[in-house]
Amino acid sequence: MNDDDHDRHHDPEDPHGFDARALAWDQDPKKVARARRAADAIVAHDILRPDTRLLEFGAGSGMLSQLLREHLGAITVVDRSEGMLEILRDKADGGPLDGATVLDVDLVHDPLPDVQVDLIASVMVMHHVLETEQLLRHLHDLLAPGGWVALSDLDAEDGTFHAGADDVVSGFDRDELKGLLTDLGFVDVSFQDCGVLHKNDRDYPLFLAFARRP
C-alpha cells in the first residue's frame, strides 16, 4: 500500500477509510516512522517538561502521543473516527496510553472541550480541515500561555496527492502558514523538514511547524 493515509473508500460513513483500517494502523512501519520523525523533532525542540499537558488532535491510534509519553504529563487524544476512538479507548484503559482522556469532538465546529494544554500536536491532519484559520484560532484558544503547537503536514502540492477530492487542502505554503499563525497571535514560528511521503511514484515533502502562544 502507498504511504497515503487517505485513500478513497465507498463507505459514506467512513469516506477516508479510517474506521476500516484502524486495527492495522500501528502495524504499518511507514506510519510508525513518520510519527517517530515528528516525535523526535518535538523532543529536540526542547519544549517538553514532565508536567506538559498534550492534546493530539486527529490522533488516529495515538501513535504520536505514545512516542512522546515518557516526556509528558497528562494526555488528551481527539479523533472523529469511531474505529480509531475504539483503539484509543482501549489504549487509555490500561494500555500504552493508560489514563489518557479520549474525546470525540470536531475542533472546528463543536464547542471546544473544557481543557487547557501546553502542547497541541498533529501529523497529517490539518490538510483534512478546510477551515484552516478557524482551526488554528481554536488551537490558540486551547493553549495555556506559553504553550506550543507542533503541526506536521504536507507542503503545498499540485492537488495530485488527493486527486479529485474537494474536501481537503492541497498542502500548505510555509510562508503563508507562518503569516496566518502570526496574524492569529502566535510567536516563535518556525518550520523544518519532516520527511517525505511517496505515492503514485511521486514524493510529497512534509514539514513540521512550531509556534507558541505568548
Side-chain angles (χ1 to χ4, degrees), residues 69-82:
R69 180 166 192 176
E70 65 180 290
H71 305 282
L72 300 169
I75 294 174
T76 300
V77 283
V78 177
D79 207 272
R80 300 306 316 280
S81 159
E82 187 53 42

PDB file of all heavy atoms in Angstrom, residues 69-82:
ATOM      1  N   ARG A  69       5.075  10.006  25.251  1.00  0.00           N
ATOM      2  CA  ARG A  69       4.511   9.883  26.588  1.00  0.00           C
ATOM      3  C   ARG A  69       5.549  10.016  27.704  1.00  0.00           C
ATOM      4  O   ARG A  69       5.285  10.647  28.738  1.00  0.00           O
ATOM      5  CB  ARG A  69       3.777   8.551  26.725  1.00  0.00           C
ATOM      6  CG  ARG A  69       3.180   8.419  28.118  1.00  0.00           C
ATOM      7  CD  ARG A  69       2.173   7.331  28.259  1.00  0.00           C
ATOM      8  NE  ARG A  69       1.492   7.495  29.541  1.00  0.00           N
ATOM      9  CZ  ARG A  69       0.493   6.751  29.952  1.00  0.00           C
ATOM     10  NH1 ARG A  69       0.045   5.784  29.184  1.00  0.00           N
ATOM     11  NH2 ARG A  69      -0.075   6.969  31.117  1.00  0.00           N
ATOM     12  N   GLU A  70       6.694   9.436  27.540  1.00  0.00           N
ATOM     13  CA  GLU A  70       7.681   9.456  28.628  1.00  0.00           C
ATOM     14  C   GLU A  70       8.167  10.866  28.947  1.00  0.00           C
ATOM     15  O   GLU A  70       8.761  11.107  29.998  1.00  0.00           O
ATOM     16  CB  GLU A  70       8.882   8.573  28.273  1.00  0.00           C
ATOM     17  CG  GLU A  70       9.685   9.075  27.086  1.00  0.00           C
ATOM     18  CD  GLU A  70      10.868   8.171  26.773  1.00  0.00           C
ATOM     19  OE1 GLU A  70      11.811   8.155  27.576  1.00  0.00           O
ATOM     20  OE2 GLU A  70      10.818   7.487  25.742  1.00  0.00           O
ATOM     21  N   HIS A  71       7.900  11.812  28.057  1.00  0.00           N
ATOM     22  CA  HIS A  71       8.352  13.193  28.252  1.00  0.00           C
ATOM     23  C   HIS A  71       7.244  14.109  28.766  1.00  0.00           C
ATOM     24  O   HIS A  71       7.471  15.305  28.923  1.00  0.00           O
ATOM     25  CB  HIS A  71       8.861  13.758  26.923  1.00  0.00           C
ATOM     26  CG  HIS A  71       9.934  12.944  26.279  1.00  0.00           C
ATOM     27  ND1 HIS A  71      11.250  12.982  26.698  1.00  0.00           N
ATOM     28  CD2 HIS A  71       9.889  12.049  25.261  1.00  0.00           C
ATOM     29  CE1 HIS A  71      11.973  12.162  25.950  1.00  0.00           C
ATOM     30  NE2 HIS A  71      11.174  11.588  25.086  1.00  0.00           N
ATOM     31  N   LEU A  72       6.033  13.569  29.022  1.00  0.00           N
ATOM     32  CA  LEU A  72       4.841  14.387  29.225  1.00  0.00           C
ATOM     33  C   LEU A  72       4.174  14.135  30.565  1.00  0.00           C
ATOM     34  O   LEU A  72       4.481  13.168  31.262  1.00  0.00           O
ATOM     35  CB  LEU A  72       3.813  14.073  28.126  1.00  0.00           C
ATOM     36  CG  LEU A  72       4.201  14.314  26.680  1.00  0.00           C
ATOM     37  CD1 LEU A  72       3.151  13.695  25.761  1.00  0.00           C
ATOM     38  CD2 LEU A  72       4.335  15.809  26.406  1.00  0.00           C
ATOM     39  N   GLY A  73       3.191  15.017  30.840  1.00  0.00           N
ATOM     40  CA  GLY A  73       2.246  14.793  31.919  1.00  0.00           C
ATOM     41  C   GLY A  73       0.959  14.229  31.347  1.00  0.00           C
ATOM     42  O   GLY A  73       0.943  13.173  30.734  1.00  0.00           O
ATOM     43  N   ALA A  74      -0.154  14.961  31.517  1.00  0.00           N
ATOM     44  CA  ALA A  74      -1.466  14.500  31.072  1.00  0.00           C
ATOM     45  C   ALA A  74      -1.573  14.523  29.551  1.00  0.00           C
ATOM     46  O   ALA A  74      -1.004  15.391  28.883  1.00  0.00           O
ATOM     47  CB  ALA A  74      -2.553  15.371  31.679  1.00  0.00           C
ATOM     48  N   ILE A  75      -2.325  13.557  29.013  1.00  0.00           N
ATOM     49  CA  ILE A  75      -2.523  13.436  27.565  1.00  0.00           C
ATOM     50  C   ILE A  75      -4.017  13.418  27.257  1.00  0.00           C
ATOM     51  O   ILE A  75      -4.786  12.702  27.899  1.00  0.00           O
ATOM     52  CB  ILE A  75      -1.871  12.154  27.016  1.00  0.00           C
ATOM     53  CG1 ILE A  75      -0.349  12.221  27.156  1.00  0.00           C
ATOM     54  CG2 ILE A  75      -2.262  11.925  25.556  1.00  0.00           C
ATOM     55  CD1 ILE A  75       0.357  10.932  26.763  1.00  0.00           C
ATOM     56  N   THR A  76      -4.405  14.227  26.268  1.00  0.00           N
ATOM     57  CA  THR A  76      -5.747  14.196  25.711  1.00  0.00           C
ATOM     58  C   THR A  76      -5.641  13.871  24.234  1.00  0.00           C
ATOM     59  O   THR A  76      -4.853  14.494  23.512  1.00  0.00           O
ATOM     60  CB  THR A  76      -6.458  15.552  25.879  1.00  0.00           C
ATOM     61  OG1 THR A  76      -6.550  15.874  27.276  1.00  0.00           O
ATOM     62  CG2 THR A  76      -7.861  15.517  25.288  1.00  0.00           C
ATOM     63  N   VAL A  77      -6.396  12.876  23.770  1.00  0.00           N
ATOM     64  CA  VAL A  77      -6.380  12.491  22.360  1.00  0.00           C
ATOM     65  C   VAL A  77      -7.775  12.729  21.781  1.00  0.00           C
ATOM     66  O   VAL A  77      -8.787  12.375  22.391  1.00  0.00           O
ATOM     67  CB  VAL A  77      -5.939  11.030  22.157  1.00  0.00           C
ATOM     68  CG1 VAL A  77      -4.430  10.915  22.306  1.00  0.00           C
ATOM     69  CG2 VAL A  77      -6.635  10.085  23.126  1.00  0.00           C
ATOM     70  N   VAL A  78      -7.811  13.342  20.604  1.00  0.00           N
ATOM     71  CA  VAL A  78      -9.062  13.743  19.965  1.00  0.00           C
ATOM     72  C   VAL A  78      -9.124  13.118  18.582  1.00  0.00           C
ATOM     73  O   VAL A  78      -8.158  13.208  17.804  1.00  0.00           O
ATOM     74  CB  VAL A  78      -9.146  15.280  19.844  1.00  0.00           C
ATOM     75  CG1 VAL A  78     -10.412  15.689  19.106  1.00  0.00           C
ATOM     76  CG2 VAL A  78      -9.085  15.932  21.217  1.00  0.00           C
ATOM     77  N   ASP A  79     -10.263  12.504  18.243  1.00  0.00           N
ATOM     78  CA  ASP A  79     -10.463  11.989  16.902  1.00  0.00           C
ATOM     79  C   ASP A  79     -11.956  11.923  16.631  1.00  0.00           C
ATOM     80  O   ASP A  79     -12.777  12.095  17.537  1.00  0.00           O
ATOM     81  CB  ASP A  79      -9.820  10.599  16.731  1.00  0.00           C
ATOM     82  CG  ASP A  79      -9.420  10.340  15.282  1.00  0.00           C
ATOM     83  OD1 ASP A  79     -10.262   9.844  14.519  1.00  0.00           O
ATOM     84  OD2 ASP A  79      -8.271  10.656  14.916  1.00  0.00           O
ATOM     85  N   ARG A  80     -12.329  11.684  15.357  1.00  0.00           N
ATOM     86  CA  ARG A  80     -13.733  11.566  14.973  1.00  0.00           C
ATOM     87  C   ARG A  80     -14.070  10.185  14.431  1.00  0.00           C
ATOM     88  O   ARG A  80     -15.244   9.857  14.291  1.00  0.00           O
ATOM     89  CB  ARG A  80     -14.095  12.612  13.899  1.00  0.00           C
ATOM     90  CG  ARG A  80     -13.903  14.052  14.294  1.00  0.00           C
ATOM     91  CD  ARG A  80     -14.616  14.448  15.577  1.00  0.00           C
ATOM     92  NE  ARG A  80     -15.975  13.949  15.679  1.00  0.00           N
ATOM     93  CZ  ARG A  80     -17.040  14.518  15.078  1.00  0.00           C
ATOM     94  NH1 ARG A  80     -16.888  15.584  14.328  1.00  0.00           N
ATOM     95  NH2 ARG A  80     -18.246  14.022  15.249  1.00  0.00           N
ATOM     96  N   SER A  81     -13.092   9.391  14.070  1.00  0.00           N
ATOM     97  CA  SER A  81     -13.329   8.058  13.532  1.00  0.00           C
ATOM     98  C   SER A  81     -13.670   7.104  14.666  1.00  0.00           C
ATOM     99  O   SER A  81     -12.894   6.948  15.616  1.00  0.00           O
ATOM    100  CB  SER A  81     -12.077   7.558  12.793  1.00  0.00           C
ATOM    101  OG  SER A  81     -12.071   6.156  12.687  1.00  0.00           O
ATOM    102  N   GLU A  82     -14.823   6.433  14.573  1.00  0.00           N
ATOM    103  CA  GLU A  82     -15.221   5.520  15.639  1.00  0.00           C
ATOM    104  C   GLU A  82     -14.240   4.354  15.759  1.00  0.00           C
ATOM    105  O   GLU A  82     -13.948   3.883  16.861  1.00  0.00           O
ATOM    106  CB  GLU A  82     -16.637   4.997  15.405  1.00  0.00           C
ATOM    107  CG  GLU A  82     -17.175   4.175  16.569  1.00  0.00           C
ATOM    108  CD  GLU A  82     -17.094   4.898  17.913  1.00  0.00           C
ATOM    109  OE1 GLU A  82     -17.399   6.104  17.971  1.00  0.00           O
ATOM    110  OE2 GLU A  82     -16.702   4.243  18.902  1.00  0.00           O
TER     111      GLU A  82
END
